Amino acid sequence: MKLQFLVSAVNQDARALAEKMNLQAESIIINQCRENRYEEFEYRENRMRCYHFAEKGVGLSRNNALLRADRDICLFADEDIVYAEGADKLVLDAFLAHPEADMLLFNVKVQESRRTYWTERFHRVRLYNCGRYPAYSFALRTEKMHAANLSYSLLFGGGAKYSNGEDSLFISDCLKAGLKVYAVPVEIGEEVPRPSTWFHGYDEKFFYDRGVLYHALYGRLAVLMGLRFLLKNKAVMCAGEIGFQEAKKFLETGIRDAKKGL
């Protein structure tokens, strides 16, 4: 089997980025910047294809990489991830060990305040618990992904209308398409801390956008899942200027508006 990194980046020097991230397999780098051009080079004897596009939006970036993915396994990557030496082998070995899996979710170290998941044991991922995994944990069998016609939403994420949630929607679409998704207790890299491109505090837009996302993810269960989300996180999210009741109002407004059409 062959592995391919699918890298989303903004205003980066592709050659320096390959070295910084320690890319250990063939890669497709989508660099959103101010020009349209293509470059190709070798890093550690692996082919690096870099597409520079004068556009913005993380969903668009990932789709541009997905369209060009052509190796057995594709691993989603962000510019702020540094891969451990041997990460390529760890990913391929996990797929060889789990032939039943169409998609595997790997551990990547992040700051404690940003951690949304950490896999301690191998387990199946379902619709009810898929919303906490970021794209940089995703690896898929490319042929299965293309056969299911999967792509990223252009409405959610950095550079889009709604602030985040594109990863949750993608993994949800994978599950709805019948792909078998598992999380594995295998660490492949570490995130280098940087300012968020979308998070500007627990303000009205944060809760409103969360309501829109929950409608897209859960449909009729959106209000229930939204309430669960607020109750679980109210000590952190509702401790500032926006209290619990106001946050609930903004979230429910987002759900109602989404029902009318995004």
Side-chain angles (χ1 to χ4, degrees), residues 11-255:
N11 294 322
Q12 294 292 316
D13 177 291
R15 293 173 185 269
L17 183 64
E19 183 176 359
K20 183 180 78 171
M21 295 180 67
N22 194 26
L23 299 177
Q24 299 156 45
E26 183 175 316
S27 303
I28 296 173
I29 301 170
I30 305 298
N31 184 41
Q32 296 187 336
C33 54
R34 294 182 178 179
E35 59 180 341
N36 294 302
R37 66 183 177 90
Y38 173 76
E39 68 174 306
E40 187 173 310
F41 58 94
E42 278 197 5
Y43 174 68
R44 295 182 60 164
E45 300 183 354
N46 293 305
R47 183 187 182 202
M48 303 282 141
R49 288 183 278 162
C50 184
Y51 297 84
H52 301 270
F53 291 128
E55 59 190 25
K56 67 176 183 177
V58 67
L60 190 57
S61 174
R62 299 214 193 277
N63 286 342
N64 275 322
L66 286 175
L67 286 169
R68 295 165 173 83
D70 54 7
R71 292 296 179 261
D72 304 291
I73 304 296
C74 58
L75 177 69
F76 287 81
D78 286 338
E79 64 181 57
D80 56 352
I81 305 300
V82 177
Y83 289 95
E85 195 61 34
D88 56 332
K89 187 175 187 303
L90 289 173
V91 172
L92 292 176
D93 284 352
F95 275 96
L96 287 171
H98 299 288
E100 74 279 17
D102 301 314
M103 180 178 187
L104 291 176
L105 310 178
F106 291 87
N107 284 335
V108 174
K109 269 187 188 174
V110 300
Q111 288 178 301
E112 191 67 35
S113 61
R114 283 176 43 78
R115 181 178 289 183
T116 59
Y117 81 104
W118 188 259
T119 301
E120 300 282 358
R121 59 177 182 79
F122 178 77
H123 65 271
R124 185 91 177 255
V125 175
R126 306 284 189 178
L127 281 170
Y128 62 82
N129 67 348
C130 73
R132 56 203 181 103
Y133 297 96
Y136 53 70
S137 69
F138 298 176
L140 296 98
R141 296 188 190 275
T142 307
E143 196 171 283
K144 286 276 191 177
M145 180 180 62
H146 285 164
N149 197 29
L150 293 163
S151 63
Y152 260 76
S153 170
L154 302 184
L155 281 173
F156 296 86
K161 184 176 181 180
Y162 303 108
S163 52
N164 76 318
E166 73 284 359
D167 299 339
S168 299
L169 285 168
F170 182 80
I171 195 171
S172 173
D173 287 345
C174 289
L175 289 164
K176 289 173 182 175
L179 271 64
K180 294 177 181 176
V181 183
Y182 297 85
V184 290
V186 177
E187 183 184 326
I188 59 172
E190 184 172 359
E191 181 189 56
V192 177
R194 62 171 179 169
S196 174
T197 58
W198 66 268
F199 180 69
H200 304 292
Y202 299 112
D203 54 12
E204 177 179 347
K205 180 170 173 56
F206 174 88
F207 294 110
Y208 178 89
D209 287 1
R210 182 64 53 151
V212 175
L213 172 65
Y214 274 32
H215 171 74
L217 279 173
Y218 303 117
R220 294 178 182 176
L221 294 177
V223 173
L224 181 63
M225 296 300 286
L227 184 60
R228 174 178 173 269
F229 169 75
L230 290 178
L231 288 170
K232 181 181 178 182
N233 299 289
K234 71 175 182 177
V236 174
M237 295 182 178
C238 304
E241 292 183 8
I242 295 180
F244 179 82
Q245 290 301 327
E246 204 172 5
K248 181 171 175 286
K249 181 187 74 174
F250 293 141
L251 188 141
E252 290 176 345
T253 300
I255 294 171

